[in-house]
Each structure stands twice: as structure tokens, then as C-alpha cells.
Amino acid sequence: MVFNQTEKQERAYLEQIITLLKRTIGNTDVSVKDHIDTLAEYKDYLWSNKDIDPHEIRSMRESILNHFAIGESVIDKRKRLTKILAIPYFGRIDFRERSSKVIPIYIGIHTFYDSESKTTLIYDWRAPISSMFYDYELGEASYQSPSGEITGEISLKRQYRIRAGKMEFMIESALTVHDDILQKELSANADDKMKNIVATIQQEQNRIIRNEEARTLIIQGVAGSGKTSIALHRIAYLLYAFQGSISSQDILIISPNKVFADYISNVLPELGEETVPETSMEQILSEVLDHKYKYQSFFEQVNELLTKPSPDFIDRIEYKATFDFIASLDRFILHIENHYFRAEDVKLTKHITVPAEFIEEQFHRFNRYPMRQRFEAMTDYILDMMKVQYAFTVTTVEKNFLKKEIKRMFAGNNDLQLYKDFFNWTGKPEVFKMRKNRTLEHSDLAPMAYLHIALEGGIKNSVKHLLIDEMQDYSPIQYKVIQKLYPCRRTVLGDASQSVNPYGSSTADMIQKALVTGEVMKLCKSYRSTYEITDFAQKIRTNTDLEPVARHGEKPQVIHYKNEKEELSGILDLISVYRKSTYKSLGVICKTETQAKVIADELKQYADDIHFLSNQSSAFVQGIIITSAHMAKGLEFDEVIIPEADDNNYHSEIDRSMFYVAVTRAMHRLTLTYSISKTRAFL
């Protein structure tokens, strides 16, 4: 007999579970109060008895710490139970091990163990047994437990949509349980934050999430494949699987901008995990160089490529994104080792001179140290030898003098000068160009950091897992720096088709080569956009790996107007249509931020619910957003309007990338507008 066979029985069971959850939450409240009261009693006792025995104080201190730890654990349990009260579970499988009875397994965000019946009523989606929900349909199934592989048979599979403790619907199917729920979820409107997708994780996504073997996992995912969400669920899974050895503070996310960081900030808390630290590639590189140099931001570089690209500027970016460039840097570092230290005699005292030959010998003796880190060790060793030979006591003044003199012998103490020397040494001085106000070009930041690390050593950090999003926008030399700074496990994700900087981008293969390791896994199914929008995007930039999910909707519209004024009026009409729809988000996506600002200023005269998203913005907001394609990358909207979609505005390779990014932000509706007075539509 099937446990909870009918939908009516399932609804009654849900009510039972919610009653049990509330009772357990109530018990935790009592437990927390008891611990607080006990701690208060300890405090009062210690305050009133200041002359008590030290052994008693030690014993009480241990008791206090124990009560505090238990109290924290109970509070954490209460948080988790409260979080699942609205949606206790989303799926169920009935599983029977060999020669055993059928066990109904309900799956949710967190585990719920009933201490009275000593039964697990809800299994965490990350638990080994829960993996079968994602990986198998009815029939033979297995999962990896701590004791080894468990095999058996799935006899039932159900999925539920529960909101605010009420079951909206239940789907039972051998084959389409995921598809039906997935279609419902994909048809829903976009929110102001990325949401968890535990109820709709697909088999190929589950393999990535639960991959524990790869030290570096490189995820190549097509537009709309859910790669960022999957990467965050992977982080949540690793925190669960390796709890005790890794915490949220041991993880670092490198994200493209603050808006994107805000957009994804809900996912981990929804999964019951703490938010993790976040930074940018520029911040990391600048920190390596002690924040000594002004530099062109990546956004500024891309903007220059979009608005006023010079062939020399493109050439410089392209050259510094090659592996030949990295090889040249490595040869130059060896050249520094052999030619930049010129030893001289040092007159240490009136009667003692340290010979140049001896100093030179020590520079090479300590070659296990980075070059700039040798001076301290060299000084100590030389003085120890002088002490043995001449039997004198070295003063601090003499030690500091010798160290200063040895450092002076090394011609590679200035990072900027050293970097200039490199280009002279290669015979390509023209490839280095400083901007106004001694500002570095963006493509020079990573190579300078690479040289600095080679000479100074890497930065010690506590990061145990590094997540890099938008992997395609970083060059090989940036990955070489990351390799040196973060010798930990890494998850790297992106899409080569969505690069906003084709002159300095990296493919999955290039990243694999730069990091000298890495397993590449692909996500080929596109879930975000309707079939019609995806098909349209394929005409802009064909991706043979892409498999659209068969969710149909409106065909993209291309609307032409007589002039710019009419185009603006037409966009206002489209916004009016949007307001009457059920959609929650509209993105008006322009090629550049300057174009977006002009349109935003114009439209704001007629509407007060329009938000301009710039590279200085720090948060994503719901509603009508006007922004650039660069800032829109990684985001999604129910509806997208692309103004000035003509071949005068979009004509170069980087323009095509921007256009592709803009188009693939649309979930349900896409409209392109342009003025006939300019030229024709960019298709």
C-alpha cells in the first residue's frame, strides 16, 4: 500500500508536518529560554561571589561555554525550522532497498528529524539519498552513502508546489514530473533577486552541484542555462558535505560588479547558508600592488572599445591576453634573477668589509625565496658568518645598514619601472602606454601583479574555495595570478559566447591551460528564454552546443520608426503595454551606458518608476530598468526592449557580443526598435 496515496491524504499529511514543525519550534523557544536563564544565573552567582575558589571558576566557565554552545545550536535549529515552515518540502520518492520495505522520502531545503518517533520526516536536498530525486525516474536507482553504494528501486515520484504552508498542486508522473514543474517555474515572472532552484534541478545540473572530485571545476554554460545559480547551489552543497572543515567565511566569490553581487545575494540564505565574502578581480589585483597605482577599470576599457576603439589599443589588449605574453614574462623573471642583482663590497665597520663575491653567492644560495624576500635572510646569514670569523657583536644599526645596502644592489624594487623594463627587454616598448594622470590601462594591472608576486611572493589567505563568475571576461594572465594567489579548490563558470571583451577573453580550454588543471563540464540546455527568443539569439551568435527548452511564447518584434523622436514615443507605448501586463520586470538595454543615460533622462520626464542602472550602482531593483548590455550581463527580465538596434549602432565584433547579451536577458518578451533615418535593423 502506498503511503499517502491520494492528493487529499498528502494535504492532510502536510498539515501534520506543519503542526509538528510548530510544536518543535515552540520547544526550541523553551530550550533557548532555559539556556538564557541558566547563563543569567551563572552571571549573577559570579557577580555575587567574587572570592570563590579558582577551580570552581574554571568549572563554571566550562559550563557557561557549554550552555552557550548548546544555546547557539538550538537557535540555529530554530532558524532552519522556521525557514522551512512555509515550504516544508517540494518532492518525494518511494525507495526500497534490496530485501527491504518501501520508505517514503520527502525532500526539502533542510532536514527535519522528529525526536519523538525517531524518524527523519524531511531529508535535506543535499543528502546523499536525495540525489536520486534528481538523477532517476521510476525503476532501479542507487546513491552513494558513507558506507558505500546503496541500490534499490524507486516505485513512486511526486513533486509539490507548497506556498505559505498550503499545497497549490501535486504532480505525479514517471517521466514528466520535472518537466511539468519546470515549465510552471520557467513561465513565472522574474523577481528582484535570484531564487533557489532546488525543486527544478536537472540531472546535468545535479552532477555539477555534487562533484566533489574536481579540484578546479570549469563550467561552460550557454546563456540561460542557470550556471550562476548552479554554482551557488554547489557552494551550498559543499558547505553541507564538508561541514566542520569549511564554512561560508572560507569561500570567496569573484563577481563582475556590485549589482550582480546584490542580485545573487538571496540564494545562499534561502538555502540556509550564510552569505559568503565577495570581491572583484580588480580589487584583488590592486591589493597585490598595495593599491599604489591608479588604473582603468574593466568597465572603462569595454566602454572605450565600444565608443572610440583605436587599433593600437586593441592590439595592446590582444597581445597581453596571449600565452606567448605570459611566456615572455616568465623569461624576463629569469632574466631578472640573473642580471638585476649587482653585488658590491660593503664596508660594515672600520675594519670589516663584506666582499661582493660573498654577497652574490648568498643571493643565489637563498633562491628558494622570492627575490625581494631574500634580503632579510641574506643579511642574517652574512652577519652570522662575520660573527664567527671576526668574533664581534653586530648592532641593530649595522644590521639595518647591511640590509639597506643589499636591497640597493637589486635593480628590481620598483614594480612600474620593472614592468617598463620588460617591454624594452622584449623590444616592444610601444605595447606599454600609460594614460593621463599616470593611470594604468586595465590590461596592464594583471601582468604587473604577476611580476610583483614572482618577486615578492603570494599573499597568504584563508580561502578554501574560490568561485569565479563570468569566466570568459578574464584573460589568461589574470588566471595565472589567481593560480598563484589561491591554491585552493575552484569553481569557474561562464559562457564564451557572452564575452563583453572579445579581444582579451578566455575560453574554457584557455582557462584550463592557464590554471594547469581543471575538469570542464558543460551546461547546454537554455531555460531562461522562450524557444522563439532563443532562436532569434542564435541568428546573432550561433552556439551549436545550445539546446533550448521547448517553452513557447511571442515571437520577438522588430519595430522601425521614422526618426528618433518617434522611436522614443514608441518605447513609451511599449512601457505602457508592459504596465498592463502581469510581468514584474522590464529591461531597456542599450549598447553603452551613455546611450542608456540619455534614454533614461528622456523617459523619466514621462514616468517616475524608471530606474537607471549604471556601473556605479550597488543594488538591483525590480520594475523598469534602463541600463547597458555590460551591466545587464548575468541579469534577467520578463521583458526586454533594445533601442537603437540598427547596424550603425551595432557593427563591430564587440557590438555583436553586446547585442547577444542584451537579447538573451529576455525571458518572455523581446522587442527591438530602431529609426529608419539611421539605417536598417541589425540582424
Side-chain angles (χ1 to χ4, degrees):
M1 181 178 174
V2 177
F3 177 80
N4 293 335
Q5 186 169 5
T6 66
E7 185 169 333
K8 183 179 179 181
Q9 290 172 329
E10 287 281 22
R11 291 181 184 274
Y13 181 72
L14 174 61
E15 290 180 8
Q16 293 175 32
I17 292 293
I18 289 174
T19 300
L20 274 173
L21 280 168
K22 287 179 177 178
R23 187 192 305 162
T24 307
I25 291 169
N27 292 337
T28 60
D29 287 341
V30 173
S31 179
V32 169
K33 187 179 183 304
D34 288 343
H35 283 290
I36 291 172
D37 291 344
T38 302
L39 289 171
E41 289 173 8
Y42 278 128
K43 182 181 176 182
D44 291 341
Y45 181 81
L46 289 169
W47 185 257
S48 305
N49 300 273
K50 296 184 179 179
D51 297 326
I52 58 177
D53 183 83
H55 295 290
E56 186 179 356
I57 292 176
R58 190 180 300 112
S59 177
M60 290 188 69
R61 184 179 293 141
E62 289 175 0
S63 295
I64 288 170
L65 290 172
N66 186 47
H67 271 282
F68 186 79
I70 294 172
E72 287 284 295
S73 175
V74 173
I75 290 170
D76 182 61
K77 180 181 178 182
R78 189 190 188 283
K79 284 180 181 176
R80 286 188 284 108
L81 294 178
T82 304
K83 190 176 285 291
I84 68 172
L85 195 57
I87 310 175
Y89 48 83
F90 55 81
R92 168 187 169 184
I93 54 173
D94 284 6
F95 181 68
R96 180 171 64 95
E97 291 184 38
R98 303 297 185 216
S99 304
S100 183
K101 65 177 183 179
V102 175
I103 303 172
I105 299 162
Y106 286 83
I107 301 163
I109 295 288
H110 291 299
T111 296
F112 176 40
Y113 179 78
D114 182 27
S115 56
E116 291 184 10
S117 65
K118 300 188 185 310
T119 306
T120 301
L121 299 176
I122 303 171
Y123 288 83
D124 193 299
W125 68 277
R126 298 166 291 186
I129 198 168
S130 302
S131 66
M132 294 189 293
F133 176 78
Y134 302 108
D135 289 338
Y136 295 97
E137 301 300 335
L138 301 188
E140 291 189 2
S142 65
Y143 67 96
Q144 291 294 330
S145 77
S147 60
E149 186 181 33
I150 305 296
T151 60
E153 183 181 9
I154 295 174
S155 56
L156 181 143
K157 188 171 182 179
R158 284 178 180 166
Q159 198 155 356
Y160 317 90
R161 181 177 175 92
I162 301 170
R163 295 292 182 271
K166 301 294 182 183
M167 188 179 294
E168 294 182 2
F169 57 79
M170 176 187 92
I171 293 177
E172 181 173 359
S173 174
L175 297 172
T176 62
V177 64
H178 270 74
D179 288 343
D180 288 350
I181 294 287
L182 182 63
Q183 288 290 347
K184 291 178 185 294
E185 292 296 330
L186 294 178
S187 299
N189 296 323
D191 214 330
D192 61 336
K193 302 277 189 182
M194 182 180 285
K195 300 296 182 184
N196 79 72
I197 58 167
V198 290
T200 57
I201 292 171
Q202 304 296 291
Q203 190 176 25
E204 73 274 10
Q205 297 172 330
N206 193 47
R207 283 198 295 269
I208 290 173
I209 291 170
R210 295 174 185 264
N211 186 318
E212 298 179 16
E213 286 74 34
R215 185 153 182 87
T216 297
L217 185 61
I218 302 168
I219 307 168
Q220 164 58 42
V222 300
S225 59
K227 49 189 174 289
T228 300
S229 183
I230 293 306
L232 292 170
H233 284 68
R234 170 169 166 77
I235 293 299
Y237 172 79
L238 294 173
L239 288 170
Y240 174 90
F242 299 101
Q243 53 190 305
S245 61
I246 186 170
S247 72
S248 56
Q249 293 307 301
D250 298 325
I251 297 168
L252 182 64
I253 297 177
I254 300 178
S255 62
N257 54 65
K258 290 181 179 178
V259 170
F260 183 74
D262 176 67
Y263 180 64
I264 67 173
S265 61
N266 261 21
V267 176
L268 285 170
E270 280 190 358
L271 296 171
E273 302 294 346
E274 299 294 323
T275 55
V276 303
E278 174 271 331
T279 189
S280 67
M281 182 68 77
E282 289 166 6
Q283 181 67 20
I284 291 170
L285 297 174
S286 182
E287 188 175 312
V288 170
L289 298 169
D290 300 318
H291 304 293
K292 287 181 180 178
Y293 305 98
K294 291 185 288 187
Y295 57 88
Q296 178 191 44
S297 70
F298 180 59
F299 186 89
E300 290 168 340
Q301 176 184 282
V302 173
N303 192 58
E304 184 171 340
L305 290 169
L306 288 169
T307 55
K308 47 180 180 180
S310 71
D312 289 346
F313 184 49
I314 293 172
D315 286 345
R316 289 195 296 273
I317 295 170
E318 285 185 326
Y319 172 63
K320 293 163 190 172
T322 64
F323 285 96
D324 284 345
F325 174 69
I326 297 171
S328 294
L329 277 171
D330 288 333
R331 288 194 295 271
F332 182 63
I333 291 165
L334 185 61
H335 174 76
I336 295 170
E337 172 81 35
N338 294 325
H339 297 91
Y340 269 58
F341 189 79
R342 303 287 180 91
E344 300 172 7
D345 293 344
V346 177
K347 192 173 180 62
L348 195 60
T349 68
K350 186 178 180 180
H351 303 290
I352 300 174
T353 298
V354 184
E357 295 81 2
F358 187 64
I359 295 174
E360 177 86 26
E361 184 183 325
Q362 305 324 308
F363 181 78
H364 296 293
R365 175 193 293 272
F366 289 95
N367 61 5
R368 65 185 183 277
Y369 292 94
M371 282 173 256
R372 291 178 188 165
Q373 296 295 313
R374 298 178 193 180
F375 310 138
E376 183 80 32
M378 287 171 64
T379 302
D380 289 342
Y381 182 82
I382 290 169
L383 290 176
D384 284 344
M385 292 299 100
M386 293 297 105
K387 197 184 297 183
V388 171
Q389 186 171 351
Y390 297 104
F392 79 107
T393 303
V394 180
T395 66
T396 302
V397 173
E398 289 164 341
K399 179 179 177 179
N400 290 340
F401 171 73
L402 179 59
K403 183 180 176 181
K404 183 180 177 182
E405 287 296 294
I406 291 174
K407 184 178 179 180
R408 183 182 56 79
M409 299 172 195
F410 184 61
N413 291 311
N414 184 287
D415 288 326
L416 182 58
Q417 185 56 56
L418 201 65
Y419 191 51
K420 290 178 179 177
D421 289 354
F422 163 70
F423 290 103
N424 289 325
W425 179 77
T426 58
K428 297 178 179 179
E430 74 282 356
V431 184
F432 176 74
K433 184 178 179 180
M434 291 276 289
R435 298 303 178 97
K436 292 179 180 177
N437 301 319
R438 292 179 61 80
T439 300
L440 293 169
E441 289 188 341
H442 179 79
S443 58
D444 289 315
L445 198 58
M448 277 187 65
Y450 186 78
L451 276 176
H452 181 93
I453 293 168
L455 273 66
E456 197 77 52
I459 298 175
K460 290 182 174 61
N461 60 75
S462 59
V463 176
K464 294 181 180 179
H465 198 103
L466 184 71
L467 191 153
I468 306 174
D469 205 349
E470 303 294 348
M471 68 181 190
Q472 69 280 356
D473 289 333
Y474 304 121
S475 63
I477 185 65
Q478 288 175 313
Y479 281 107
K480 296 301 288 188
V481 173
I482 291 297
Q483 183 196 32
K484 291 181 179 295
L485 293 178
Y486 301 98
C488 58
R489 291 182 177 274
R490 295 175 285 244
T491 300
V492 188
L493 61 139
D495 178 16
S497 298
Q498 295 184 68
S499 175
V500 296
N501 177 21
Y503 310 113
S505 61
S506 295
T507 63
D509 289 341
M510 291 169 70
I511 296 166
Q512 198 174 25
K513 182 179 178 181
L515 296 178
V516 198
T517 182
E519 178 183 349
V520 178
M521 298 185 75
K522 290 186 176 183
L523 288 171
C524 298
K525 287 186 180 178
S526 180
Y527 301 100
R528 176 186 297 131
S529 306
T530 62
Y531 179 88
E532 288 75 15
I533 293 172
T534 302
D535 186 58
F536 186 88
Q538 287 283 70
K539 294 173 183 174
I540 301 164
R541 173 153 285 165
T542 303
N543 187 340
T544 54
D545 288 334
L546 192 146
E547 302 172 26
V549 170
R551 179 174 67 87
H552 291 276
E554 302 175 32
K555 286 187 177 181
Q557 282 189 292
V558 180
I559 307 175
H560 53 81
Y561 299 92
K562 292 180 181 178
N563 50 55
E564 292 180 27
K565 187 177 179 180
E566 279 200 10
E567 184 178 2
L568 190 69
S569 178
I571 293 171
L572 279 169
D573 291 340
L574 291 168
I575 290 174
S576 296
V577 174
Y578 157 77
R579 287 199 180 97
K580 295 173 184 175
S581 73
T582 58
Y583 295 152
K584 294 180 179 179
S585 62
L586 168 65
V588 181
I589 305 177
C590 303
K591 187 178 88 169
T592 68
E593 186 163 296
T594 302
Q595 292 173 359
K597 181 69 165 60
V598 170
I599 289 179
D601 290 342
E602 289 283 350
L603 294 180
K604 280 182 177 181
Q605 299 178 42
Y606 307 98
D608 56 5
D609 59 343
I610 288 175
H611 309 279
F612 173 57
L613 203 64
S614 75
N615 75 99
Q616 298 300 313
S617 301
S618 57
F620 181 80
V621 293
Q622 198 171 26
I624 302 171
I625 301 288
I626 301 179
T627 191
S628 65
H630 190 169
M631 288 301 299
K633 193 146 67 80
L635 309 178
E636 61 184 28
F637 303 90
D638 291 327
E639 180 177 354
V640 166
I641 299 170
I642 305 177
E644 302 179 81
D646 55 82
D647 61 2
N648 184 50
N649 191 27
Y650 293 92
H651 55 84
S652 66
E653 183 59 26
I654 189 171
D655 291 346
R656 183 172 291 275
S657 292
M658 291 297 181
F659 198 66
Y660 181 81
V661 168
V663 166
T664 54
R665 298 311 93 198
M667 296 175 63
H668 311 301
R669 183 186 290 164
L670 173 67
T671 307
L672 283 64
T673 68
Y674 74 105
S675 304
I676 291 180
S677 61
K678 290 184 177 179
T679 177
R680 62 186 180 85
F682 178 77
L683 295 172

